[in-house]
Amino acid sequence: MAIQWYPGHMTQARKKAEETMEFTDMVIEVLDARVPAASHNPMIDEMRLFRQRPQLKILNKADLADPAATQAWLNYFNAQPNTKAVALSCKKAGDAKKIPAICKKITPHRGTHLKPLRMLIMGIPNVGKSTLMNALLNRRVAKVGDEPAVTKNQQRFDLDDTMSITDTPGMMWPRIAYESDGYMLAASHAIGRNAVIDEDVATFLANNLLKSYPALLNARYKLDAMKLDVTQMDGVDLLDAIAKRRSYKRHDGLWDMEKTAVAFLTDYRSGAIGRVSLETPTSRAEMMAISQISPANNSEQAAETDDSTNSAQ
Ligand SMILES: Nc1nc2c(ncn2[C@@H]2O[C@H](COP(=O)(O)OP(=O)(O)OP(=O)(O)O)[C@@H](O)[C@H]2O)c(=O)[nH]1
């Protein structure tokens, strides 16, 4: 089963982005540092490579991600042609201020009064594009919210008279072929709640974090105080333990697993569990090797999918 979530306005956004790409010198792709591969939209590469534009990949929300995993991703992306990658937190004003100088280095032939540097910010929903725009421009030009697809229209601004920047609405591709990508995106709130069931996403997240960050989970939920051995637990056990620890009960006396799932996801999204990443270049390569589907098949399937049949708000 592949997760499908493609709000109607994204078809329009994709067409507009394709048009704008012609008059763009470089692409700034904003990724979620906790899931840099899952949060990469393959359609962005298709548009960018068609016009042969270089890219800056921003691994945003680095304040929430595991620094070792982020470094591994930076090494991985920086080895790719026509690509520069940096990790930062757009919430820190100082971090975003470094970006214009990096962009000028990527496109040395632009960035003058005669030939201003035209940058296009792209990325899936909720990765922090609007936060980045606001930080770059030092004023609130874009609406920020921890819900996917807040931004609906493209907007262009001058940073000064040598650089301009265009913000695009968060764009998904029509079909997320790897189920684990869908869950990672849902956990990070890049796709809407109507596309997934919170309990499924929380169980996926719990299993993932138990593998890589048992000590952080133990510390957050005081599992040893409940005489539980975190190394012997699976995702369902962990969510059960959280429900009991917090006494989340329904009116009928059963444990409220829906409320527990939402609380666990909220902890992950806010960083309350600690700095964690859900994938590394190594885990990604393993997942791809296990899966029978190649990335080429994904984009073919996406292109074949009729947008109108799987739109969901
Ligand atoms: N911790 C942390 N949160 C961030 C960072 N950047 C953005 N956020 C939060 O992430 C959420 C989404 O940010 P937006 O800037 O609205 O994301 P967007 O990519 O413009 O979203 P869409 O409009 O849906 O496309 C908001 O709650 C932001 O406060 C960051 O670097 N660190």
Side-chain angles (χ1 to χ4, degrees):
M1 184 203 69
I3 293 171
Q4 299 190 6
W5 187 78
Y6 199 66
H9 75 270
M10 286 186 191
T11 306
Q12 196 55 31
R14 187 185 68 201
K15 285 187 186 142
K16 191 90 185 74
E18 269 164 358
E19 284 165 24
T20 309
M21 189 67 77
E22 185 180 352
F23 308 102
T24 293
D25 301 306
M26 62 166 293
V27 171
I28 299 177
E29 185 183 10
V30 185
L31 301 168
D32 183 326
R34 296 164 296 176
V35 287
S39 62
H40 163 65
N41 179 345
M43 278 167 26
I44 295 176
D45 267 353
E46 279 168 26
M47 288 182 216
R48 184 180 69 79
L49 293 170
F50 179 69
R51 297 277 173 197
Q52 299 182 321
R53 303 296 188 244
Q55 66 175 336
L56 172 65
K57 278 187 186 283
I58 294 182
L59 276 60
N60 189 38
K61 307 195 184 185
D63 55 304
L64 301 175
D66 177 340
T70 301
Q71 188 54 55
W73 280 113
L74 288 177
N75 297 345
Y76 173 84
F77 288 129
N78 278 317
Q80 293 180 357
N82 252 346
T83 301
K84 168 86 186 150
V86 293
L88 50 84
S89 168
C90 286
K91 276 197 162 175
K92 293 185 201 153
D95 271 16
K97 294 279 179 274
K98 299 172 197 158
I99 292 172
I102 298 172
C103 291
K104 279 198 171 174
K105 267 195 187 160
I106 293 172
T107 46
H109 58 294
R110 306 283 314 194
T112 62
H113 295 86
L114 287 178
K115 285 188 172 179
L117 169 56
R118 299 159 302 179
M119 299 167 286
L120 184 63
I121 296 189
M122 303 183 87
I124 65 166
N126 213 37
V127 284
K129 299 176 299 299
S130 299
T131 309
L132 172 63
M133 282 294 284
N134 293 343
L136 284 172
L137 290 156
N138 228 357
R139 61 198 158 101
R140 193 175 176 281
V141 292
K143 201 170 152 194
V144 169
D146 188 22
E147 281 292 328
V150 171
T151 308
K152 301 269 193 299
N153 298 307
Q154 208 178 84
Q155 317 183 76
R156 181 182 168 281
F157 298 92
D158 290 331
L159 282 185
D160 56 31
D161 48 8
T162 65
M163 300 178 101
S164 72
I165 193 147
T166 302
D167 182 23
T168 58
M171 269 197 310
M172 290 300 291
W173 57 113
R175 187 174 181 277
I176 302 165
Y178 301 115
E179 196 173 51
S180 58
D181 281 359
Y183 284 131
M184 285 192 234
L185 294 176
S188 305
H189 226 170
I191 59 177
R193 286 187 72 183
N194 53 354
V196 285
I197 297 164
D198 281 336
E199 283 177 62
D200 291 349
V201 180
T203 307
F204 168 89
L205 179 67
N207 280 318
N208 186 313
L209 295 181
L210 278 165
K211 266 190 230 153
S212 309
Y213 306 100
L216 290 180
L217 293 170
N218 198 28
R220 172 72 186 162
Y221 301 110
K222 315 238 173 335
L223 300 169
D224 46 5
M226 295 172 79
K227 306 224 178 315
L228 293 169
D229 178 356
V230 69
T231 63
Q232 302 301 314
M233 296 172 87
D234 67 13
V236 173
D237 299 332
L238 177 64
L239 294 172
D240 274 349
I242 297 171
K244 287 176 188 150
R245 170 111 220 140
R246 297 193 173 171
S247 305
Y248 288 160
K249 272 204 174 163
R250 303 190 317 199
H251 293 307
D252 59 9
L254 296 175
W255 295 112
D256 191 338
M257 299 318 294
E258 207 177 313
K259 185 173 176 183
T260 307
V262 172
F264 184 59
L265 290 171
T266 304
D267 275 1
Y268 162 73
R269 289 170 184 155
S270 67
I273 294 170
R275 295 180 70 176
V276 296
S277 296
L278 301 189
E279 56 178 356
T280 63
T282 308
S283 73
R284 182 81 191 175
E286 283 166 6
M287 187 278 281
M288 304 283 281
I290 291 165
S291 170
Q292 296 296 309
I293 313 163
S294 73
N297 286 343
N298 292 348
S299 55
E300 271 166 33
Q301 282 164 345
E304 283 164 13
T305 309
D306 174 3
D307 295 346
S308 60
T309 57
N310 59 11
S311 292
Q313 281 297 343

